[in-house]
């Protein structure tokens, strides 16, 4: 059995889609915030997780 989950969250300010698998795989992260992309990629890579995360939002306000 594959240990994975997908979560989608939409608000007025953001749209986030995240899939996390605990049995290894590909890492694809695109949040629009470079440091956050780097940290999530490193966590998934060294944790041997499958992570696919895309996030869109009002980054013109700040990287919240």
């Amino acid at each position: 059995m594959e240990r994975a989950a997908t979560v989608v969250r939409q608000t007025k300010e953001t749209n986030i889609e995240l899939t996390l698998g605990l049995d290894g795989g590909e890492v694809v992260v695109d949040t629009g915030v470079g440091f956050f992309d780097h940290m999530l990629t490193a966590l998934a890579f060294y944790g041997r997780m499958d992570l696919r995360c895309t996030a869109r939002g009002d980054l013109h306000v700040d990287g919240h």
Side-chain angles (χ1 to χ4, degrees):
M1 176 184 279
E2 185 174 314
R3 300 178 301 159
T6 298
V7 176
V8 176
R9 177 173 167 86
Q10 293 181 354
T11 68
K12 292 179 183 177
E13 295 85 18
T14 61
N15 182 4
I16 302 167
E17 184 171 338
L18 185 135
T19 300
L20 176 65
L22 300 179
D23 297 318
E26 188 176 7
V27 178
V28 178
V29 178
D30 181 18
T31 66
V33 179
F35 180 72
F36 197 42
D37 290 352
H38 168 73
M39 295 305 290
L40 286 173
T41 299
L43 174 69
F45 177 80
Y46 290 109
R48 297 182 179 161
M49 294 179 265
D50 178 10
L51 177 64
R52 296 153 204 259
C53 177
T54 56
R56 296 290 172 257
D58 57 355
L59 292 179
H60 63 281
V61 175
D62 66 6
H64 62 282

